[in-house]
Amino acid sequence: MTYRPAGHLRLTPVDEEAPRRAQRLRRLGLGERPDPEFDAFAQRLTQVTQAPYGMVNFIDEHRQFFAGLHTPTGTFTGTYPGGRSAGAEGGLPRFLARDHGYCPHVVVRRKALVLEDVCDYPRFAGNPVVDEIGIRSYLGAPLIDRTGTVLGTVCVADTRPRPWGRAGLDTIKAMAAELVDKIHRYEDGTPPAV
């Protein structure tokens, strides 16, 4: 863990695998544009967990990109390839800085993260998504592909504390494994049906 010059705990861990991840994402053609199939997967995440936010998040050296995104209103900013609107203005952006949210922690840790109430953890309570979006709970798992590269995460979040429990942890890990399998099939020449 590193500290900022002002003496505050740094919110985002150092990610030494970021260049390798970015190269792998480019090779797979992921992390640059929204995908309606990933949006459908994010929506399914919210349905299964009954959380208002669901995301398929790919992370490179500089930013996070929600290739799949579902919000409480079903709206978000961004466009699908070809310029077709991805939703009304006023929702989450498709890109976030690496110091926003909890997915960068999942990627560096290489294991799932369960935060039933982010305010219970000083390290996480000061994250910008708490004030900017109102996030109070988070559940995420890494997308580790066949090369051992953590491509990103699948995650859900809520604006109220949530007792995710063991069932929530098992669910998010199973859904991450399902999506990695679909990405592998896509890489092998079979388009994923997410």
Side-chain angles (χ1 to χ4, degrees):
M1 186 60 58
T2 59
Y3 291 86
R4 291 187 177 167
H8 298 292
L9 190 62
R10 183 178 171 157
L11 299 176
T12 306
V14 175
D15 182 1
E16 295 180 9
E17 288 188 15
R20 178 179 173 203
R21 177 179 319 105
Q23 182 180 41
R24 180 75 173 133
L25 288 170
R26 280 190 298 275
R27 190 173 305 123
L28 291 169
L30 300 173
E32 290 297 321
R33 62 180 187 256
D35 186 309
E37 292 187 51
F38 287 139
D39 284 340
F41 194 87
Q43 182 177 13
R44 199 168 121 232
L45 284 167
T46 65
Q47 292 167 341
V48 168
T49 62
Q50 298 180 350
Y53 294 93
M55 292 144 281
V56 175
N57 187 5
F58 297 116
I59 302 173
D60 66 19
E61 302 104 311
H62 309 291
R63 65 184 184 185
Q64 303 177 66
F65 176 69
F66 299 123
L69 178 61
H70 185 77
T71 67
T73 61
T75 62
F76 43 87
T77 57
T79 58
Y80 290 123
R84 184 167 57 90
S85 176
E89 293 297 320
L92 279 177
R94 287 286 184 170
F95 297 92
L96 277 183
R98 288 196 74 257
D99 64 349
H100 282 55
Y102 310 106
C103 291
H105 294 273
V106 172
V107 166
V108 171
R109 292 166 31 115
R110 302 179 64 87
K111 61 183 180 178
L113 178 62
V114 179
L115 298 172
E116 294 184 344
D117 186 343
V118 300
C119 294
D120 288 344
Y121 304 90
R123 178 179 182 187
F124 297 120
N127 196 285
V129 298
V130 175
D131 292 331
E132 294 173 16
I133 304 169
I135 298 301
R136 285 291 302 272
S137 60
Y138 171 90
L139 177 64
L143 297 169
I144 303 174
D145 80 348
R146 62 175 60 134
T147 68
T149 303
V150 181
L151 303 174
T153 68
V154 292
C155 65
V156 292
D158 203 332
T159 56
R160 61 182 175 85
R162 291 283 301 267
W164 301 110
R166 183 66 191 191
L169 177 62
D170 290 344
T171 297
I172 202 72
K173 289 167 72 175
M175 294 196 75
E178 177 185 330
L179 188 59
V180 166
D181 181 58
K182 291 174 192 285
I183 290 169
H184 289 161
R185 284 188 283 163
Y186 173 76
E187 182 180 26
D188 294 340
T190 305
V194 290

